Amino acid sequence: MCSAQQQLINILKRVRRVTHTDFATLAVLNPQTQVVEWVAASGNRNQRYKRIRQQAGEGIVGRVFRSNRPLVIPRFHTRSGQDPCPYAILFAENLQSVWMVPIRQGTRRGALLVGCRSPATREENIIRRMLPYAAECENYLVHGSETSIPKPHQKEAFDG
Amino acid sequence: MTWLEKGVSSGESSSFLEGLFEHLTDAVMTIDRNGFIMEANPAALRLTGYSAAEIRDIHLCSICMGVATKEEEAVCGECFIHRQSVSAFEMRVRARDGREFPVTASFTRFPSGAHGSMAVVLRDLTAQHRMERERYHTMITNYVIQAQEEERKRVSRDLHDGVGQALYSIIVGLKMVNQIALEDSEREHLEEVHRMAEQTLQNVKNLAVELRPSTLDDLGLVPAIRSFAKRYEKNYGIDTVLEVKGRRARPAPEVETALYRICQEAMINAAKYADTDRVKIILSDEGRLLELEIQDFGQGFNLKQIRVQGTGLGLYGMRERAKLVGGSFEIHSASGSGTRVRVMVPIKEKRGGTMDEHPGPDRR
C-alpha cells in the first residue's frame, strides 16, 4: 500500500496529465507555525520547492487563502522593481502561467497549483479539470500530516 | 595672399604670426561685418570639418547653433556678434557632418575693418563636458544612494522600535485578557486575534529587516550576509553557501553597505533569472583588498547579447555602488555555465589606528 506522500505524488502526476501542464504541486499551511510549505511536486526540475517557506498570508498562496477562490496567472512577466518573493515557486520552476485552487478541510488549508513553462493558451478549462484532484488532495490535509514530509537534504529522484 | 600676409609689414614677424596662426590648437576664424567667415586656421578646419576653400564665405550662423545660457544649451537670441565686448562664453557648433558639440568661445572686435570685423576663437569642450557630466552623475548617484540608505534605516528603526514595540505590548495585553474566565467562543475569538497580532508583528519585523537589517550596523557585513542568506534560502529555496576567508575586520560602514547591497542584488538576480538551485558567496579579506564573489550555477547568459529582462538597473546599480567606494566590479557569465559577480574594494586603514575587529564570533 502506498504512503500518503506517494499517493499525493500520484494525484499530482494525474492532475498534470489531465491539465496538460508541466508542473503540479501542493501547498499546505502548518496550523501551528502558520508557515506554508510545498509538500510534494510532479514535473519539478529541481528541489527548490522543498526549501521554500512562506508565512500564511504571504505570496500567491496567501492571495488564494484570503480570497478562498481559484487564482490564474496566464502570463507571468518579471516587472522591474517587483518583489520576486511572492512568486518564488514560479521562479523556482521557471513557470510562465499558473492555476491555483484553494483546498480546505476544517481548519487545515492548502492550495493545489499547476503551471506551464510557457504562457497560457487554453486557460478556461484548467481550473474545472483541477477540481476533482483538489478534492482528493483535501484527504491529504487530514491524513498527510501523519506521514513524514521529505526534508530538503533528503535525495529524491526528479520526477520529470 | 592671406589677411595676415597683407597686414604685417616685417617678414620675420609675419612668418612668426603665420606660424602662430597655423599651429594654434584653438580654432581661430575671422568674420566680416556681415557675419561671413573670411579666414580659418587649420584647427578651425579640423573642428568644423570644412576645407579651407569651403569655409570661406560661409555665414557664422551656419556653424553656430546658439549660445549656452542658464536655462538652455543653445539659444539664438541676442547674438554676440552685435555686442561690443563679452567675456568668454559657451556655444554650440555644428560641424560639416551634422555633428553638434559644445565649444568655449571668445571674440575680439577689430578697431578698423582692414582684416574683417572680428576674430572668433573656439575650443572644443566635448571631453570636458563628458567628464563634468560623469562627475555630476556620480555625485547625484552617491547622493541618491546615501539618501535611500538613510531613509531605509530610519523607516526600519521606526518599524522595529515603534510599530513593533506597540504590537508586542498588544500581544502581552491579549495574553493577560486570556487569563480571565471567558466563554469558549470568546476565547476562540481572542486566540484568533492573538494569532493575527503575532503574525503582524512577525511581518513588521521582516519588513524592517528587508528595508535595512540592523545587523549590518551592529554586527557587520558577515553576520548580515549570513542572515540574509538564511532568509534567501527560505524565500527562494536556493541552497546557499557562504565562505569567509582571511581577516575578520570590519571595513568602513559605506563599504559594508555597498557590499551588502551588491550581494543582495546579485543573489536576487540569481533567484529571478539564473534558474539555479545553488548559490555560493565568497568573502575574502586579504588585508589590502576586500573581495566579494557571488556565484550561481545556473543557465548564465551571453554578456555580449544581454537580453534585459528587468530595467537593467540592477547591474548598473551594482557597478555604481562598487565605484562609489573605490572598488571594481566584474561580471563573468556564459550560456550554460552560471554567472559570477566579483567586487574588489581596496581597504583604507582608519586614521590613527587599526580597523575594528568583529565584536564576537559569527554564528549561523
Side-chain angles (χ1 to χ4, degrees):
Chain A
M1 194 180 147
C2 285
S3 68
Q5 184 70 20
Q6 192 53 52
Q7 279 174 6
L8 178 60
I9 291 171
N10 290 340
I11 296 170
L12 295 174
K13 273 184 189 170
R14 283 188 282 131
V15 71
R16 192 157 68 88
R17 201 162 48 234
V18 299
T19 54
H20 303 287
T21 46
D22 301 319
F23 176 72
T25 184
L26 180 71
V28 173
L29 171 71
N30 182 327
Q32 270 82 47
T33 58
Q34 289 293 305
V35 168
V36 174
E37 295 177 23
W38 303 95
V39 291
S42 168
N44 54 305
R45 301 194 312 184
N46 54 55
Q47 306 293 314
R48 272 170 73 170
Y49 78 92
K50 288 183 181 176
R51 299 188 202 98
I52 297 173
R53 300 280 182 276
Q54 276 177 321
Q55 286 293 316
E58 281 181 5
I60 48 172
V61 183
R63 271 164 68 184
V64 171
F65 282 0
R66 278 195 301 275
S67 66
N68 202 30
R69 293 167 66 104
L71 172 76
V72 180
I73 304 175
R75 274 163 215 87
F76 176 68
H77 296 291
T78 312
R79 288 198 307 274
S80 58
Q82 176 193 44
D83 178 10
C85 220
Y87 305 96
I89 191 72
L90 279 79
F91 285 111
E93 288 293 333
N94 212 359
L95 302 175
Q96 290 186 36
S97 46
V98 154
W99 294 262
M100 288 176 82
V101 174
I103 55 174
R104 191 166 200 162
Q105 189 64 265
T107 55
R108 293 178 185 269
R109 307 184 76 178
L112 177 64
L113 177 151
V114 295
C116 286
R117 297 186 179 95
S118 54
T121 51
R122 43 173 205 292
E123 58 209 77
E124 67 284 355
N125 288 327
I126 289 184
I127 295 288
R128 197 165 48 79
R129 289 183 194 172
M130 286 170 76
L131 292 175
Y133 299 93
E136 282 191 52
C137 288
E138 282 173 4
N139 294 328
Y140 180 86
L141 290 185
V142 181
H143 306 294
S145 57
E146 292 153 21
T147 324
S148 67
I149 296 165
K151 296 286 180 292
H153 63 268
Q154 285 179 328
K155 283 273 177 205
E156 187 183 283
F158 280 23
D159 172 27
Chain B
M1 194 179 249
T2 68
W3 61 276
L4 197 63
E5 288 160 342
K6 278 187 234 163
V8 180
S9 54
S10 149
E12 203 174 308
S13 49
S14 159
S15 72
F16 169 72
L17 288 176
E18 237 179 287
L20 191 68
F21 184 70
E22 290 294 314
H23 295 108
L24 264 179
T25 52
D26 287 349
V28 183
M29 292 185 286
T30 54
I31 315 289
D32 72 14
R33 279 188 193 82
N34 300 316
F36 286 94
I37 298 168
M38 295 171 69
E39 287 290 338
N41 72 344
L45 301 179
R46 280 196 300 275
L47 187 81
T48 58
Y50 287 99
S51 70
E54 283 171 336
I55 206 163
R56 277 193 202 109
D57 299 328
I58 282 180
H59 198 276
L60 184 63
C61 292
S62 306
I63 61 162
C64 174
M65 294 293 100
V67 175
T69 64
K70 276 192 286 187
E71 288 82 23
E72 289 181 60
E73 276 191 334
V75 180
C76 194
E78 290 176 30
C79 186
F80 65 91
I81 280 185
H82 307 300
R83 295 195 184 176
Q84 271 310 306
S85 71
V86 64
S87 57
F89 55 95
E90 190 184 315
M91 66 181 232
R92 240 179 137 67
V93 160
R94 183 158 63 193
R96 189 174 186 273
D97 59 7
R99 192 170 48 90
E100 286 188 21
F101 50 91
V103 295
T104 179
S106 63
F107 73 91
T108 308
R109 201 171 283 284
F110 297 136
S112 71
H115 313 305
S117 175
M118 64 167 82
V120 178
V121 182
L122 307 174
R123 176 171 281 186
D124 192 355
L125 279 179
T126 312
Q128 283 91 330
H129 260 221
R130 194 171 47 239
M131 277 194 298
E132 200 175 302
R133 262 202 311 273
E134 278 174 21
R135 209 164 44 235
Y136 178 72
H137 188 247
T138 306
M139 195 181 79
I140 293 286
T141 312
N142 195 0
Y143 176 76
V144 169
I145 287 176
Q146 273 183 7
Q148 189 195 39
E149 285 300 334
E150 285 303 315
E151 196 57 14
R152 281 181 169 200
K153 197 188 278 188
R154 190 186 65 78
V155 176
S156 171
R157 284 199 173 148
D158 278 0
L159 276 176
H160 191 270
D161 302 342
V163 184
Q165 283 303 314
L167 276 168
Y168 187 71
S169 304
I170 291 170
I171 291 167
V172 172
L174 288 172
K175 277 183 182 164
M176 285 172 69
V177 175
N178 207 11
Q179 287 167 1
I180 303 167
L182 293 168
E183 295 286 322
D184 280 355
S185 62
E186 288 169 341
R187 188 171 304 282
E188 205 174 289
H189 182 63
L190 187 68
E191 274 167 8
E192 176 69 11
V193 173
H194 182 234
R195 192 187 55 74
M196 276 168 62
E198 281 196 325
Q199 198 178 321
T200 311
L201 177 63
Q202 191 54 49
N203 290 346
V204 167
K205 280 183 178 172
N206 290 346
L207 200 58
V209 170
E210 273 163 30
L211 276 168
R212 186 181 163 92
S214 55
T215 321
L216 187 58
D217 299 307
D218 302 340
L219 300 175
L221 182 63
V222 176
I225 292 182
R226 269 192 212 288
S227 127
F228 177 74
K230 269 174 85 176
R231 292 198 306 279
Y232 177 82
E233 265 189 350
K234 273 209 274 183
N235 287 341
Y236 301 103
I238 297 177
D239 188 23
T240 312
V241 175
L242 170 64
E243 203 177 304
V244 183
K245 297 175 185 170
R247 304 189 309 170
R248 298 290 185 93
R250 283 192 67 172
E254 61 272 19
V255 174
E256 286 192 319
T257 302
L259 292 182
Y260 179 78
R261 293 295 184 205
I262 291 170
C263 186
Q264 203 177 20
E265 181 70 34
M267 285 169 74
I268 288 175
N269 278 351
K272 279 166 96 169
Y273 309 117
D275 199 10
T276 182
D277 59 354
R278 198 155 58 98
V279 165
K280 187 175 184 183
I281 309 152
I282 305 167
L283 184 72
S284 67
D285 176 357
E286 303 302 342
R288 288 187 175 177
L289 202 67
L290 193 58
E291 198 178 316
L292 173 71
E293 194 175 302
I294 302 104
Q295 189 177 2
D296 72 52
F297 301 88
Q299 59 188 5
F301 60 96
N302 187 343
L303 282 166
K304 287 180 185 150
Q305 295 171 321
I306 295 180
R307 193 166 59 90
V308 176
Q309 293 182 56
T311 51
L313 283 175
L315 285 181
Y316 170 79
M318 289 194 276
R319 202 179 294 277
E320 283 299 306
R321 280 190 186 269
K323 204 167 91 182
L324 287 174
V325 291
S328 62
F329 175 86
E330 289 170 13
I331 180 159
H332 303 275
S333 189
S335 276
S337 62
T339 302
R340 206 170 81 235
V341 168
R342 196 157 164 242
V343 193
M344 282 166 294
V345 183
I347 298 172
K348 291 174 197 147
E349 294 293 330
K350 281 185 184 171
R351 268 178 291 175
T354 54
M355 297 164 66
D356 303 333
E357 289 296 321
H358 275 305
D362 299 322
R363 282 185 300 245
R364 182 158 185 182

